[in-house]
Amino acid sequence: MPENIASQYRVAVTRTRAASYPDVAPFSPDTAYPEYPHGHLGPATNQVYSGVRRVLALAGMDAAHVDTARWNPLGDFVPPGGTVVLKPNLVREHHPWDPQGWRYVLTHGSVVRAVADYAFAAVGGAGRVVIADAPQTDSSFAAIVSVLGLDELRRFYRERGLRLDLVDLRQEEWTTVDDVVVARRRLPGPAAACRATPAARSPSTWPRPASSPTTAERAATTAPTTTAGW
């Protein structure tokens, strides 16, 4: 583990003025914050983005540069050229009784967008951000991506030369009719996603473990990855 990472956990909590999500992907902020590099602003107030930004500041991340163009709250946790895995809750694309019930079982795309922006601030154009989860087996990953606007997020970043990958960690996806499984489709699974992870930094630039490294430790230093879930 890099020596500049704090050994204690930190928790920050904030409250938005209203319990609402922005409706239009790619869920850009409505304010041109000093550290915001993408130019594009959303058409309406985005309290989710400002809330995520606020908790990162409250947690003391890169406190010396808050409210400046140099603010990089995740920079102490992942290097330029690294990989950040974001693990939102992706359960199912719909609720059996409530047309708006997907909001209860999916992390809203606006939350993913805000966190991804700060992840890209850390890894830069040479790194990548991965959105990954293993939804309920009889759910459609493609439908979840569409409902949350994650395909729009991927397009938004691609237009700016940034790599955002969407990874389904399941081994199978089932199709059901009246709760009866009528088809099973094999998926690449997490192993394929791991094989696609690029090396971000030479192992010699990372601190060596005090004892002899295991094979897993040597592999981890070859492609440093940071995971965030919520």
Side-chain angles (χ1 to χ4, degrees):
M1 178 179 291
E3 295 175 353
N4 61 341
I5 293 181
S7 59
Q8 296 181 345
Y9 292 105
R10 301 176 186 175
V11 176
V13 179
T14 190
R15 176 181 292 179
T16 59
R17 295 178 180 176
S20 62
Y21 295 105
D23 295 324
V24 182
F27 312 116
S28 294
D30 61 289
T31 302
Y33 300 111
E35 74 280 2
Y36 181 66
H38 301 305
H40 183 268
L41 297 179
T45 300
N46 188 336
Q47 297 189 72
V48 173
Y49 199 104
S50 62
V52 169
R53 182 178 186 269
R54 191 157 53 247
V55 295
L56 293 174
L58 288 172
M61 296 181 174
D62 194 19
H65 300 117
V66 173
D67 288 330
T68 74
R70 295 176 59 193
W71 191 43
N72 182 6
L74 303 182
D76 283 342
F77 297 89
V78 60
T83 297
V84 175
V85 179
L86 304 180
K87 190 265 170 227
N89 287 327
L90 307 181
V91 180
R92 199 173 190 186
E93 67 275 14
H94 62 81
H95 191 282
W97 303 295
D98 183 353
Q100 295 299 312
W102 62 270
R103 295 176 181 267
Y104 317 151
V105 293
L106 299 174
T107 301
H108 198 273
S110 60
V111 181
V112 177
R113 164 63 197 280
V115 178
D117 268 11
Y118 290 104
F120 276 120
V123 302
R128 72 164 179 163
V129 174
V130 180
I131 299 172
D133 197 17
Q136 191 168 300
T137 312
D138 60 349
S139 64
S140 166
F141 191 78
I144 291 173
V145 165
S146 178
V147 166
L148 294 180
L150 300 183
D151 47 351
E152 293 295 325
L153 295 190
R154 181 168 54 187
R155 184 178 301 111
F156 175 86
Y157 288 122
R158 183 182 298 143
E159 291 171 351
R160 288 155 177 81
L162 300 172
R163 179 181 174 184
L164 178 75
D165 293 336
L166 307 176
V167 176
D168 186 346
L169 297 176
R170 299 173 299 177
Q171 295 185 351
E172 286 188 340
E173 181 174 289
W174 297 352
T175 300
T176 60
V177 176
D178 295 328
D179 296 327
V180 176
V181 178
V182 297
R184 291 180 172 86
R185 182 168 64 92
R186 294 290 298 177
L187 301 173
C194 292
R195 287 194 297 270
T197 302
R201 186 183 283 188
S202 168
S204 62
T205 65
W206 285 83
R208 293 181 178 274
S211 58
S212 298
T214 64
T215 301
E217 287 169 337
R218 286 193 295 267
T221 60
T222 304
T225 302
T226 298
T227 305
W230 60 86

